[in-house]
Amino acid sequence: MRAPASNPSGVHFLRDRTVIAGLLRSARPRGGDLVLELGAGPGVLTAALAGTGARIVAVERDAAFAARLRRRFAQRPVTVVEDDLRRVRLPRRLFAVVANLPFATGTAVLRRLLGGRDVPLRGADLLVEWGFARRLTRPVPRDAETAWWAARYELRIARRVPATAFAPAPRVAAAHLVVRPRQLDRRALPVLRALLTDAYRRPAAPLTAVLAAHVPAARAHRLARSTGIAPPAIAGAVPPSVWAALAAAAVVAEPAARARSIS
């Protein structure tokens, strides 16, 4: 199928079967699973997903592509939704995402998938622009929003994907980005958000000073030691996973401290 001549949205159609196989091995969709494919295009990845027995929701904003997808997968467990992947309604039940994202949409899509507290995301396997993936997976993100994502989800690069895997070939390489939720107590999420906001507002402040703004000072030092972070550490050097551990420890310690005070 001939790709459009213009490419204002960074759309690159996936054509490499090895890359498709890698996405499926990582995502491991099975019968009964709900899988959202964002930006289905001509349906190359859709066909592979449909063969797994999972229920596929293929989102495509181009009317011609959407019509072709409906005809092609009329007898398969594929629901075609003609909508913009940046605005389409997300499922309310547990779902996974497997998608070749247009490079220009990466931030908007991840903001929707990872930004909220109540998105029932089981995991995501995404093809995104290489530099974007590198920024997302930095040990210490540059901004509080990305740190919020990385504190609640494991973000890692499975492999570098060459430009030749797409048509038209982009100017830069892509990455297979793997997203998996961390096991966090929901009670810790407000504390985690507050800690990250404060840490990125005061990156040069000592870790214990940021903690002490949200928990009693004596407990702040104990919490810091419990993570193995040396007390002189500054807030701007602390990885998101450590902030998540601190938030979780804080909500566990609070009831215990209250019980001791009552007794």
Side-chain angles (χ1 to χ4, degrees), residues 13-25 27 29 35-52 56 58 69 72-73 76 78 97-101 125-127 166:
F13 299 112
L14 183 61
R15 64 180 185 178
D16 190 313
R17 301 289 176 178
T18 302
V19 176
I20 293 173
L23 288 169
L24 266 61
R25 279 196 305 272
V35 179
L36 191 64
E37 184 193 1
L38 300 172
V44 176
L45 181 54
T46 316
L49 288 168
T52 66
I56 311 303
L69 290 168
R72 180 178 178 183
F73 298 106
R76 307 291 294 277
V78 177
V97 179
V98 181
N100 171 32
L101 295 181
D125 286 84
L126 310 171
L127 296 181
F166 305 90

Side-chain angles (χ1 to χ4, degrees), residues 207-208 221 223-234 237-239 242-243 246:
L207 166 65
T208 50
H221 286 273
L223 288 174
R225 287 195 299 271
S226 73
T227 64
I229 298 292
I234 61 171
V238 177
V242 173
W243 287 117
L246 289 167

Side-chain angles (χ1 to χ4, degrees), residues 101-152:
L101 295 181
F103 287 177
T105 68
T107 298
V109 169
L110 287 180
R111 185 171 286 144
R112 295 201 64 207
L113 293 177
L114 311 184
R117 298 180 186 176
D118 300 317
V119 178
L121 182 67
R122 180 172 64 85
D125 286 84
L126 310 171
L127 296 181
V128 298
E129 190 267 329
W130 174 253
F132 178 64
R134 289 290 301 274
R135 291 191 294 274
L136 287 176
T137 56
R138 286 167 55 97
V140 178
R142 295 177 180 176
D143 59 86
E145 180 179 42
T146 307
W148 170 246
W149 300 347
R152 296 169 54 241

